[in-house]
Amino acid sequence: MKLNLKTDYALRLLILLATRPDQQFEIETLSRMHQLPASSVMKIISELVRHGYVHSIRGRSGGVQIGRKPSEIRVGDVVQAMNEPMEIVDCSSCLLVGNCRLKGVLCEAAQAFTDVLMTYHLSDLIAAPAPVLTPLLDGGDGATPTPQA
């Protein structure tokens, strides 16, 4: 299984916001950090706001920040909220569609994938002690990544 880019970046944005829960980020900053067009980040953030994962503060001193406790956000729910299709293959044009048992096996595999994602929360993804490269969070210019624990 492979997540689409929209879902991948939604999870990355949530991880970043969850690691800095009291900090507000401007869309432009998130765009630079993830090297994505601001319009793409805005669409993803809008979707995350709509589902309550992110809180948006409008105005001059506004920005976005995590909208719920990371322990309340299941990874599987985010994947589903981002309209991630869980179909492994498209069987609609297959000649074997009437007699094929592969579709059942693949559906079972997709369900197992979803079930595993549902067991993890955003808090599980930020609790690991692995270093994270955050070049722009600590005032860096992005040229030299700063390791963070």
Side-chain angles (χ1 to χ4, degrees):
M1 300 273 329
K2 183 177 179 179
L3 299 177
N4 66 33
L5 286 176
K6 177 178 148 185
T7 304
D8 178 23
Y9 282 112
L11 290 168
R12 291 176 192 220
L13 288 165
L14 284 172
I15 290 168
L16 171 66
L17 296 175
T19 60
R20 309 278 178 142
D22 298 325
Q23 188 172 344
Q24 293 179 18
F25 291 88
E26 294 179 352
I27 296 298
E28 292 77 21
T29 302
L30 295 173
S31 171
R32 279 194 317 272
M33 292 172 72
H34 290 282
Q35 299 177 354
L36 287 173
S39 60
S40 296
V41 173
M42 186 59 166
K43 287 177 188 175
I44 294 167
I45 290 292
S46 293
E47 190 87 12
L48 293 172
V49 167
R50 190 168 65 84
H51 289 285
Y53 299 124
V54 171
H55 180 67
S56 176
I57 300 99
R58 295 184 184 264
R60 191 171 175 187
S61 61
V64 296
Q65 63 189 122
I66 197 76
R68 294 188 207 165
K69 292 179 182 175
S71 61
E72 297 173 354
I73 300 174
R74 291 191 304 183
V75 174
D77 288 335
V78 175
V79 170
Q80 288 180 342
M82 299 310 289
N83 299 316
E84 180 72 34
M86 286 296 146
E87 211 173 72
I88 295 176
V89 295
D90 179 11
C91 297
S92 63
S93 62
C94 181
L95 299 174
L96 303 174
V97 74
N99 296 318
C100 182
R101 293 190 178 119
L102 180 60
K103 184 172 182 164
V105 172
L106 296 177
C107 286
E108 186 178 341
Q111 185 61 51
F113 180 74
T114 301
D115 291 346
V116 169
L117 292 178
M118 289 296 193
T119 65
Y120 289 94
H121 292 82
L122 190 56
S123 56
D124 298 319
L125 303 181
I126 64 173
V132 177
L133 297 178
T134 54
L136 298 175
L137 289 180
D138 297 317
D141 62 1
T144 308
T146 305
Q148 293 285 325

